[in-house]
Amino acid sequence: MQPMSKSDLQIGDILIFENFDFSLDKFFKTWEKEGAEKAAFYLLVYLIPWFDPGKEGQNYRNIYHAAIWGHVDINFGKNTFPKVMDCVVQAGSHGIGAATLESTLNADSVAKLYVYRRKGDLDTETINKAISDFYYDGSIKYSYSTAWMLAVICSMRYKDGEIRKVILDKIPNRFIAESVIVAITLLINEYSEGHQKDMIACSTLVAMCLKNAGYPIHVEPLTESPELILDDQLMASSVQPEIQLLGSVPEIKRTPIEETIITPRQLFESPDVELVGCFSRSN
């Protein structure tokens, strides 16, 4: 994979974060020293990738976070002089903030930083305006409920997803069950149209910025889980046989997800983006 330098980055580049392996010891130490909320947030950044292994299968990586490269005042909201610069714009537990590339790569949770770019000719000024509209609105808070919802939605993407199995168990008719899943997706997408500020999580922020700038990220949900091998003490997943019903079943048209129901993996799996390089802690 092509190593990058800071000068290679362009406004609107999608930054995908890979974390180190989950540490049960760190989880309990965080709980003991910083409380249950901090421990839950540490767990959350692993639950989303665990629930959404994407198309990687046995090549699974702890993809947990996404950000966008923007040009904003990195000191916004601080009692100091403005400092407008190219930087990492991201949604986290403290809301929407910005960080230098150097400090990002030195973070304890960053093993690698992959850079994806929206295909086509992009108007970077328009993209940066969309980024700024979110960034400079100090009222926007991080939505934990949206982050957890993403994990739940991910479980409906796969034939062997737990939520999907629950729905199929409660609604044996496959056509109706699939229709319920599509209806849930449509309702959330419809709600998000007028409530973007209430649905801020890391990857939804990236998707919203690009969508508002006129460059939506199209995502096709997976219909089958790849085989996934993780630490057997934590999680193991394999493809389950699809539930078969008597008679023919009408095909359900999947809802294109290009609004808020999007995870970091869905961002870089989109046919609308391409991998242009990566950074690692050794840079």
Side-chain angles (χ1 to χ4, degrees):
M1 188 175 301
Q2 180 66 37
M4 297 186 72
S5 62
K6 185 176 179 180
S7 60
D8 296 324
L9 289 168
Q10 297 181 12
I11 300 299
D13 278 350
I14 300 169
L15 309 177
I16 301 294
F17 293 63
E18 179 181 358
N19 203 349
F20 295 98
D21 291 338
F22 176 80
S23 169
L24 194 60
D25 182 59
K26 182 175 181 179
F27 171 73
F28 284 117
K29 284 183 177 178
T30 301
W31 191 316
E32 180 181 352
K33 294 180 179 180
E34 302 183 56
E37 183 176 343
K38 290 292 185 180
F41 191 78
Y42 174 73
L43 179 61
L44 176 61
V45 300
Y46 288 95
L47 282 180
I48 289 178
W50 288 346
F51 285 179
D52 184 22
K55 300 176 181 178
E56 296 179 314
Q58 296 187 35
N59 297 319
Y60 174 86
R61 296 170 292 169
N62 282 315
I63 301 299
Y64 74 101
H65 185 56
I68 193 165
W69 191 245
H71 185 76
V72 298
D73 175 12
I74 200 169
N75 287 335
F76 176 71
K78 301 175 183 177
N79 187 23
T80 186
F81 293 105
K83 187 177 182 180
V84 179
M85 60 182 290
D86 291 352
C87 55
V88 178
V89 179
Q90 59 194 331
S93 58
H94 298 292
I96 300 175
T100 65
L101 178 64
E102 294 76 17
S103 64
T104 298
L105 292 174
N106 287 328
D108 291 338
S109 60
V110 179
K112 281 189 177 181
L113 190 65
Y114 301 93
V115 182
Y116 287 80
R117 187 166 294 158
R118 181 67 165 78
K119 295 177 182 177
D121 295 327
L122 306 180
D123 184 340
T124 55
E125 289 188 9
T126 300
I127 294 176
N128 201 62
K129 182 183 183 304
I131 295 171
S132 298
D133 287 344
F134 282 106
Y135 179 73
Y136 290 119
D137 187 337
S139 67
I140 298 178
K141 307 299 182 183
Y142 184 85
S143 173
Y144 283 93
S145 57
T146 297
W148 285 104
M149 181 189 71
L150 290 177
V152 172
I153 292 297
C154 286
S155 193
M156 297 198 306
R157 291 181 68 200
Y158 309 105
K159 291 178 182 177
D160 61 345
E162 290 302 319
I163 302 299
R164 189 183 193 83
K165 286 191 287 187
V166 167
I167 292 175
L168 288 169
D169 179 60
K170 299 299 182 183
I171 309 176
N173 184 297
R174 168 76 185 281
F175 179 79
I176 296 176
E178 293 280 3
S179 298
V180 168
I181 293 172
V182 171
I184 292 170
T185 303
L186 285 171
L187 285 171
I188 295 174
N189 274 345
E190 182 178 350
Y191 175 82
S192 73
E193 275 295 299
H195 299 83
Q196 286 189 343
K197 293 181 180 180
D198 300 320
M199 302 185 74
I200 293 296
C202 67
S203 48
T204 64
L205 174 65
V206 175
M208 289 172 181
C209 287
L210 292 169
K211 177 175 180 284
N212 291 355
Y215 305 104
I217 299 293
H218 297 84
V219 174
E220 295 182 2
L222 296 181
T223 57
E224 184 173 319
S225 299
E227 184 177 358
L228 174 63
I229 297 178
L230 293 177
D231 186 327
D232 57 11
Q233 293 182 340
L234 297 175
M235 175 182 179
S237 174
S238 59
V239 179
Q240 301 293 326
E242 182 177 356
I243 296 177
Q244 299 292 331
L245 298 178
L246 295 175
S248 61
V249 179
E251 180 180 356
I252 299 296
K253 183 176 178 58
R254 293 284 177 183
T255 305
I257 301 177
E258 57 184 48
E259 294 167 0
T260 60
I261 307 174
I262 194 164
T263 67
R265 266 192 177 84
Q266 287 177 294
L267 281 174
F268 71 75
E269 284 181 355
S270 170
D272 293 331
V273 306
E274 58 186 347
L275 178 64
V276 294
C278 73
F279 293 90
S280 64
R281 293 179 67 86
S282 60
N283 283 3

